[in-house]
Amino acid sequence: MGMSKSHSFFGYPLSIFFIVVNEFCERFSYYGMRAILILYFTNFISWDDNLSTAIYHTFVALCYLTPILGALIADSWLGKFKTIVSLSIVYTIGQAVTSVSSINDLTDHNHDGTPDSLPVHVVLSLIGLALIALGTGGIKPCVSAFGGDQFEEGQEKQRNRFFSIFYLAINAGSLLSTIITPMLRVQQCGIHSKQACYPLAFGVPAALMAVALIVFVLGSGMYKKFKPQGNIMGKVAKCIGGSRWTLQATTMSGKIGALEIQPDQMQTVNAILIVIMVPIFDAVLYPLIAKCGFNFTSLKKMAVGMVLASMAFVVAAIVQVEIDKTLPVFPKGNEVQIKVLNIGNNTMNISLPGEMVTLGPMSQTNAFMTFDVNKLTRINISSPGSPVTAVTDDFKQGQRHTLLVWAPNHYQVVKDGLNQKPEKGENGIRFVNTFNELITITMSGKVYANISSYNASTYQFFPSGIKGFTISSTEIPPQCQPNFNTFYLEFGSAYTYIVQRKNDSCPEVKVFEDISANTVNMALQIPQYFLLTCGEVVFSVTGLEFSYSQAPSNMKSVLQAGWLLTVAVGNIIVLIVAGAGQFSKQWAEYILFAALLLVVCVIFAIMARFYTYINPAEIEAQFDEDEKKNRLEKSNPYFMSGANSQKQM
């Protein structure tokens, strides 16, 4: 063992200050990056929800598989200190590479706002994530075990309190990062085109990881450093839901009183509650239970934690049922949906299979009408005193369409391209041009270029709030006001803005709703986060301390790694369930997770019933005594025979 002069602060080794600060910065880095990762996949790299979820959970699983590698390196080769330093360097490089991968201008050679070589970004991001997984996973079991190593015999109470403080640092870092990085993400940045600032949102966590490394190295002179002593394998269970609840939040409203919460910021509830609940459990609840005479052992705490986590998924399923009631119906299989929008000055009659619709000037049908594509034989447009015009268009199954009509023999079929609620709670906005010439519209840095006459633009997406936009066209007289504002955009809506000409030839806009805003409030997720947090505090903090206290000195890192390995197994289960299950209803997936947790809880409780708590120090002392006897026996063949003779006498 190598160690410099011992320093203490209120009975605690001063060296743990550096370890706790390091953990805070590292967890800020990891959770900050992870908070925006799934939205980076869906919005920047343009993967669909299922692929994004699969890659996300593969990454998280990898982060919890690599602790075994880190533990092997620490306990068998480099020791904990050198392992933490070496893998932290790898970790920092990975964060930097991921940040670089999100720079749009890296391959946007034609400056049109989209990468010209998306595979470059994909490869860089995957390399970065692989390095992060190796770094964060590799150091994770070593840091907590290294912290435990700093305590002397007889400091069990302080060591147990350290694990609570350590877990508090984890969640304080998580809390701040999941508040700050989504705020950085929604900033606009770029050299040639302004868009969501992923490089900054990934770059700040990269900088914090560098800070974590520096802080840890600064404490080097104070640490107790044990030489590696060999290695063995083993241990217990944990499974938490993550990314699905973020996707659930994208279908909810983020207006909570005066606050406005983005979907990826709801993860902060978990961290806030942990910061509150860890001290409450540690200083109030556990002592109260002990005073009541109940023997609340570590394994009993962990079983209760699993039950609470299972209840959290049941509550999530109930919330999902309420969300499903508010979601619009989208076409499935052979179905097509059609909405009719009259952008002309005449009353129009539209004949569809089984329906006749009459629309006045500047009006639309109340909702999308659903038809079987094989039965959508004929659609006719007419106006009083005018001949009938047949609509000839190849309607695509599984798609929404808007039928623009403005005169008896003039129409346009627009494929909407929206078959789900806008992602991450944003709002889709498109424009319809009723001028005779091209118009261009700029809204919050995004450009709708050259919208042709009596046609619709594609949707572009914006976060909540009031957005300003400017209309430009050769038809607009110079004395006209070209600047307009939207009304307050909520969450998850879509609108069509019709640009029309007033009597003075100046433009005005009229708004039609395509998809209504989310109505179920994100505050309804708080109970499920509360239950999950209580389960996590009871299960995870106890599990960290239990796996350390029950391990002999040559297994400290590996037992922590074994503990973390079970999280990887949990993420693999999520992958299997989400990928193979293909549930038509999300609530059914949550119920399955709840049921799986209960089954595991029962198995765990049975195993715990037969577990015997041990004192590793006593067992190691007994092993040492036996080893001494074996050495004496080998060096003195008369040792055992003499002892036996005396016993007989």
Side-chain angles (χ1 to χ4, degrees), residues 100-120:
V100 170
S101 77
S102 66
I103 299 174
N104 179 71
D105 294 301
L106 191 67
T107 63
D108 184 16
H109 306 302
N110 60 5
H111 306 163
D112 65 349
T114 57
D116 296 333
S117 183
L118 198 58
V120 171

Side-chain angles (χ1 to χ4, degrees), residues 14 73 87 89 94 195 206 256 275 341 363 435 493 527 585 590:
L14 188 59
I73 294 171
L87 291 180
I89 293 170
Q195 48 192 278
I256 303 177
V275 170
L341 177 55
S363 65
F435 279 43
S493 64
K585 297 293 183 182
Y590 293 145

Side-chain angles (χ1 to χ4, degrees), residues 392-556:
T392 56
D393 191 85
D394 183 19
F395 291 95
K396 300 293 184 185
Q397 63 186 43
Q399 299 289 322
R400 281 186 157 190
H401 305 75
T402 299
L403 175 58
L404 300 175
V405 295
W406 61 94
N409 59 342
H410 291 87
Y411 68 88
Q412 179 77 266
V413 176
V414 177
K415 293 177 180 62
D416 286 15
L418 272 183
N419 288 327
Q420 62 180 17
K421 277 269 191 177
E423 295 175 340
K424 62 179 181 179
E426 289 191 327
N427 302 276
I429 303 291
R430 67 176 176 181
F431 289 89
V432 171
N433 176 18
T434 64
F435 279 43
N436 294 321
E437 300 293 333
L438 297 173
I439 65 170
T440 293
I441 296 171
T442 304
M443 176 183 279
S444 293
K446 295 185 178 182
V447 179
Y448 299 81
N450 300 326
I451 307 169
S452 57
S453 179
Y454 290 97
N455 206 348
S457 70
T458 56
Y459 285 101
Q460 298 205 56
F461 299 93
F462 304 87
S464 57
I466 296 173
K467 308 300 172 187
F469 61 94
T470 302
I471 303 171
S472 60
S473 171
T474 55
E475 277 193 78
I476 300 176
Q479 72 273 14
C480 294
Q481 173 56 257
N483 299 317
F484 298 85
N485 287 320
T486 67
F487 56 84
Y488 193 92
L489 301 175
E490 298 285 345
F491 291 81
S493 64
Y495 296 95
T496 296
Y497 277 68
I498 298 179
V499 181
Q500 59 182 353
R501 188 197 306 273
K502 295 191 293 185
N503 292 334
D504 60 0
S505 296
C506 290
E508 65 176 356
V509 294
K510 187 162 185 179
V511 186
F512 293 97
E513 183 181 85
D514 301 330
I515 296 176
S516 59
N518 302 341
T519 55
V520 177
N521 202 281
M522 285 185 203
L524 286 182
Q525 283 194 318
I526 292 175
Q528 70 203 51
Y529 274 109
F530 176 77
L531 286 168
L532 187 69
T533 299
C534 290
E536 191 176 351
V537 169
V538 175
F539 187 85
S540 296
V541 177
T542 307
L544 273 173
E545 193 278 327
F546 176 81
S547 61
Y548 185 90
S549 68
Q550 296 292 287
S553 60
N554 65 341
M555 294 175 64
K556 298 296 186 186

Side-chain angles (χ1 to χ4, degrees), residues 96-260:
V97 171
T98 302
S99 181
V100 170
S101 77
S102 66
I103 299 174
N104 179 71
D105 294 301
L106 191 67
T107 63
D108 184 16
H109 306 302
N110 60 5
H111 306 163
D112 65 349
T114 57
D116 296 333
S117 183
L118 198 58
V120 171
H121 297 269
V122 172
V123 169
L124 282 174
S125 63
L126 292 180
I127 291 171
L129 291 176
L131 293 174
I132 291 170
L134 175 61
T136 187
I139 69 173
K140 198 164 178 58
C142 303
V143 176
S144 56
F146 190 65
D149 287 347
Q150 305 308 305
F151 294 88
E152 306 285 352
E153 284 188 30
Q155 288 188 306
E156 284 77 15
K157 183 178 178 181
Q158 290 93 330
R159 190 186 67 202
N160 292 350
R161 185 63 56 85
F162 160 73
F163 280 111
S164 289
I165 296 168
F166 186 80
Y167 205 71
L168 204 59
I170 289 172
N171 288 280
S174 165
L175 166 61
L176 287 176
S177 66
T178 47
I179 290 172
I180 292 169
T181 50
M183 292 168 62
L184 298 176
R185 173 184 62 80
V186 297
Q187 302 302 310
Q188 298 285 312
C189 67
I191 299 171
H192 302 293
S193 62
K194 303 296 181 185
Q195 48 192 278
C197 202
Y198 286 103
L200 180 62
F202 283 127
V204 169
L208 260 290
M209 190 55 226
V211 171
L213 174 59
I214 292 167
V215 168
F216 185 75
V217 172
L218 286 175
S220 176
M222 298 181 187
Y223 299 139
K224 290 169 64 177
K225 301 170 187 172
F226 292 92
K227 293 179 180 178
Q229 302 176 42
N231 195 288
I232 319 174
M233 297 286 172
K235 218 97 198 140
V236 194
K238 177 184 177 183
C239 177
I240 293 176
S243 64
R244 286 299 196 192
W245 286 9
T246 302
L247 291 173
Q248 183 186 59
T250 65
T251 59
M252 305 175 80
S253 171
K255 291 276 295 179
I256 303 177
L259 295 175
E260 189 169 279

